[in-house]
Amino acid sequence: MTSGSDLRTLRKNRSLTLAQLAEAMGRSLGWMSQVERDVSRINSDDLLKLARILDVAPSLLRQPQAEAPQEEGRIVRAGRRRAVGHRFEGLTEALISPDLTDSFEIVHSSFLPGHSLPEPVRRETQEIGFMLAGQLDLSFGDQTFTVGPGDSFRIRNEPYSWSNPYSETAVALWVISPPIY
């Protein structure tokens, strides 16, 4: 089962109308509307196609399973986080937020030793990162900063890149607004 509210958030944050997404999917507007309202289920092929169109990991579009009904939308147990990172080798990411319906999302990121972002990226977001472990080199234009445990950083809609040339995995928590994963 998909999470229709998360799908709606991702679609809107990419400035896509429901009709545009339905067309990209090769499906009717009514079907797409039902999927966003959690009325219709989608098959695995449609899930993969949606993930490609929205440029997210397929696991992000799956309905998260709460440990207990009263925890749904409130509690995310460590073993039930949704994987979101799939874009870059050496980077593993999981959604800490219960869903994407808030004006922000929180992501747990692990950067493996010896890996780096192949090219700078720019996202139309505001982001705050907090380092939990290891060290990470962050580059903004011609400036590079090394951050470690307890350090934080901000990225505002600007190109940046990361590198972990160190021997330890770097771990960070990111708060990202608006939700993009």
Side-chain angles (χ1 to χ4, degrees), residues 46-66:
D46 285 334
L47 181 82
L48 292 174
K49 191 171 186 177
L50 267 174
R52 277 193 307 274
I53 291 168
L54 297 171
D55 192 28
V56 297
S59 60
L60 185 61
L61 297 176
R62 290 188 183 99
Q63 180 75 28
Q65 296 297 313

Side-chain angles (χ1 to χ4, degrees), residues 8 26 102 142 178:
R8 183 178 307 106
D102 294 308
D142 61 353

Side-chain angles (χ1 to χ4, degrees), residues 3-175:
S3 175
S5 58
D6 286 353
L7 177 58
R8 183 178 307 106
T9 297
L10 291 168
R11 175 182 60 78
K12 287 182 175 183
N13 287 345
R14 284 154 176 75
S15 300
L16 290 172
T17 66
L18 193 59
Q20 289 170 324
L21 185 55
E23 182 179 334
M25 288 290 297
R27 296 299 209 124
S28 72
L29 179 63
W31 178 84
M32 195 76 250
S33 174
Q34 288 179 348
V35 169
E36 275 198 2
R37 290 181 288 125
D38 290 322
V39 173
S40 288
R41 290 183 164 207
I42 64 173
N43 63 40
S44 58
D45 290 339
D46 285 334
L47 181 82
L48 292 174
K49 191 171 186 177
L50 267 174
R52 277 193 307 274
I53 291 168
L54 297 171
D55 192 28
V56 297
S59 60
L60 185 61
L61 297 176
R62 290 188 183 99
Q63 180 75 28
Q65 296 297 313
E67 188 97 357
Q70 65 270 25
E71 292 183 355
E72 190 168 330
R74 296 178 188 266
I75 307 295
V76 179
R77 300 290 175 184
R80 296 188 183 265
R81 292 182 189 146
R82 292 186 278 171
V84 294
H86 70 288
R87 295 182 171 114
F88 307 109
E89 186 177 334
L91 174 60
T92 304
E93 297 181 291
L95 187 65
I96 300 289
S97 306
D99 54 41
L100 300 176
T101 60
D102 294 308
S103 59
F104 62 90
E105 66 187 344
I106 302 176
V107 175
H108 181 274
S109 302
S110 296
F111 305 84
L112 295 179
H115 286 84
S116 61
L117 195 59
E119 294 182 20
V121 296
R122 181 186 162 278
R123 303 191 285 208
E124 294 189 28
T125 58
Q126 292 188 44
E127 306 180 30
I128 298 287
F130 179 76
M131 295 298 296
L132 298 172
Q135 290 184 296
L136 195 63
D137 290 346
L138 294 171
S139 297
F140 306 91
D142 61 353
Q143 292 185 314
T144 298
F145 305 91
T146 300
V147 292
D151 294 340
S152 60
F153 52 90
R154 176 172 50 206
I155 302 168
R156 285 185 177 160
N157 191 12
E158 63 185 314
Y160 73 95
S161 62
W162 58 264
S163 176
N164 182 359
Y166 308 101
S167 60
E168 182 182 343
T169 297
V171 181
L173 284 180
W174 296 70
V175 178

